[in-house]
Amino acid sequence: MPTPVLGYAVHCADGDLVPWSFERRDLRPDDVELEILFCGVCHSDVHHVRNDWGGEQYPIVPGHEIVGRVTRVGAEVTGYKTGDAVGVGCLVDSCQHCRPCEQGLEQYCANGNTLTYAGKDQRDGSTTYGGYSEKIVVTEKFVLRIPDGMDLAGAAPLLCAGITSYSPLRRWNTGPGKKVAVVGLGGLGHMALKLANAMGAEVTLFSRSPGKEDDARRLGAHNVVISQNEDEMAAVAGMFDLIIDTVPYVHDVNPYIATLAVHGTIVLVGYLGPLDDALNTSPMVFRGKALAGSLIGGIAETQEMLDFCGQHDIVSDIEMIDIQDINAAYVRMLKSDVKYRFVIDLASLGR
């Protein structure tokens, strides 16, 4: 029988998130049910809730940085048992047979993957609801194991912010001898600093304003460059093998491309949409530089990231909130008033 659960949902683009009761499906043979303990608050949650990208169907229960414990498993599940600490990220299913899926790149599923919330279940067409709730039911393949001893609340943002930063670092072979820069010190940026440092790179933060040096170095940066300072930018011209650009709004990427080394790449992970400023292709052609994009990671790579974080004692810097404070948290997040990720304590649902 379907399971009634309580969550927080938004019912229109200009509405607040409010308590809402709905049903989770009964277990299929390959399903895992988990009690949600913590859920990170992602910038994309706000975009979905406010219909910034268009096409949203309400009500929406957001949340795709989910950590909890297994409460039940289907008859065919072999990898998990009751009590296991597990996570669920941005995806809960994909077609499993297209070329990207066969390569472990479910995030690029050619037939359309199933988002953890505001998506359509590929088997029965039902709407998916996310982690701002008591429980969730997910097919086993899309459940992730949280390493033993990892702080569960701090682990939640790894399921989106962590993998979004980790995937391009791995794809562009970050390691000793590489010079990596990060644009923006927010939820994504602070994870990119931690991860690039742990991989052995020399790490630099680009910041628009002074005052973040101490925090940046605590998080793993060896250097801080003020991007509004022409002298500081000139001093790092042609330096970086890889730049992870986490800025979530329209901005000019040309000044950062000037700081790439020959064959260097700048990877956009924070912004979706057209760039207002024209891209100067001259340094790209004459110096072999590249502009690329990256979207989260596949399931195997996400598990690899979690294991890497477990080995290097990496979790997100978080501020814990009760679910009743979620609307205020959205306002603060849009003002960058959080260091560096809100995480909801779902025990507050019962208060």
Side-chain angles (χ1 to χ4, degrees):
M1 294 290 292
T3 302
V5 298
L6 177 63
Y8 263 57
V10 64
H11 296 268
C12 60
D14 58 356
D16 284 342
L17 286 148
V18 295
W20 186 57
S21 294
F22 62 102
E23 290 186 338
R24 294 290 189 190
R25 67 170 183 263
D26 197 10
L27 291 188
R28 298 165 180 159
D30 61 342
D31 274 341
V32 174
E33 178 193 78
L34 56 140
E35 175 191 9
I36 300 173
L37 302 177
F38 303 104
C39 186
V41 180
C42 179
H43 205 100
S44 61
D45 294 347
V46 179
H47 289 307
H48 277 290
V49 162
R50 299 188 174 181
N51 199 26
D52 290 340
W53 296 325
E56 302 290 354
Q57 299 293 315
Y58 296 89
I60 297 171
V61 177
H64 58 209
E65 298 179 342
I66 300 166
V67 169
R69 291 198 180 274
V70 175
T71 49
R72 291 191 299 159
V73 298
E76 296 176 2
V77 171
T78 59
Y80 300 98
K81 64 183 187 305
T82 300
D84 284 349
V86 296
V88 176
C90 302
L91 306 175
V92 292
D93 209 352
S94 69
C95 80
Q96 297 295 295
H97 57 74
C98 69
R99 186 175 181 186
C101 284
E102 289 177 346
Q103 295 175 326
L105 300 171
E106 295 93 347
Q107 73 272 34
Y108 303 123
C109 177
N111 296 305
N113 51 45
T114 302
L115 298 178
T116 302
Y117 69 87
K120 291 295 181 184
D121 186 283
Q122 297 200 359
R123 304 190 208 184
D124 62 19
S126 62
T127 299
T128 58
Y129 298 119
Y132 295 11
S133 59
E134 295 173 302
K135 294 183 178 181
I136 193 167
V137 177
V138 182
T139 183
E140 178 182 17
K141 181 175 174 56
F142 286 77
V143 177
L144 297 145
R145 188 172 300 280
I146 304 299
D148 291 342
M150 182 176 280
D151 175 70
L152 296 184
L158 300 180
L159 279 305
C160 179
I163 185 58
T164 298
S165 302
Y166 182 88
S167 186
L169 290 170
R170 286 284 285 118
R171 180 179 170 189
W172 275 273
N173 301 311
T174 298
K178 293 295 183 73
K179 296 181 184 294
V180 174
V182 177
V183 185
L185 185 56
L188 294 175
H190 95 288
M191 288 306 312
L193 293 181
K194 292 186 179 194
L195 291 164
N197 179 282
M199 291 175 180
E202 181 182 323
V203 186
T204 297
L205 173 70
F206 281 118
S207 175
R208 288 177 57 84
S209 56
K212 300 177 182 178
E213 290 87 347
D214 289 346
D215 223 21
R217 289 189 170 89
R218 176 184 65 82
L219 293 165
H222 301 98
N223 311 291
V224 177
V225 172
I226 305 304
S227 59
Q228 302 298 99
N229 185 311
E230 293 184 2
D231 291 337
E232 292 191 24
M233 291 295 283
V236 294
M239 178 176 290
F240 301 109
D241 302 296
L242 177 66
I243 299 175
I244 306 297
D245 186 335
T246 72
V247 176
Y249 49 79
V250 175
H251 59 290
D252 185 3
V253 300
N254 289 300
Y256 302 111
I257 290 176
T259 71
L260 287 173
V262 170
H263 284 178
T265 302
I266 181 169
V267 183
L268 302 177
V269 298
Y271 174 67
L272 299 176
L275 293 171
D276 278 357
D277 294 285
L279 180 65
N280 181 6
T281 62
S282 295
M284 303 174 75
V285 173
F286 287 105
R287 306 299 285 176
K289 302 179 182 183
L291 176 65
S294 183
L295 176 70
I296 54 172
I299 298 304
E301 187 176 51
T302 305
Q303 187 63 63
E304 176 188 299
M305 176 274 304
L306 287 169
D307 295 340
F308 179 88
C309 289
Q311 293 163 9
H312 293 272
D313 195 25
I314 295 173
V315 291
S316 180
D317 284 26
I318 67 168
E319 179 179 336
M320 193 89 77
I321 62 170
D322 289 344
I323 188 68
Q324 294 82 0
D325 298 323
I326 187 59
N327 296 296
Y330 275 20
V331 173
R332 286 183 54 196
M333 184 168 60
L334 291 173
K335 297 178 180 178
S336 299
D337 180 23
V338 56
K339 289 187 175 180
Y340 282 96
R341 204 71 157 187
F342 286 117
V343 171
I344 304 166
D345 178 359
L346 269 305
S348 61
L349 265 175
R351 295 172 190 157

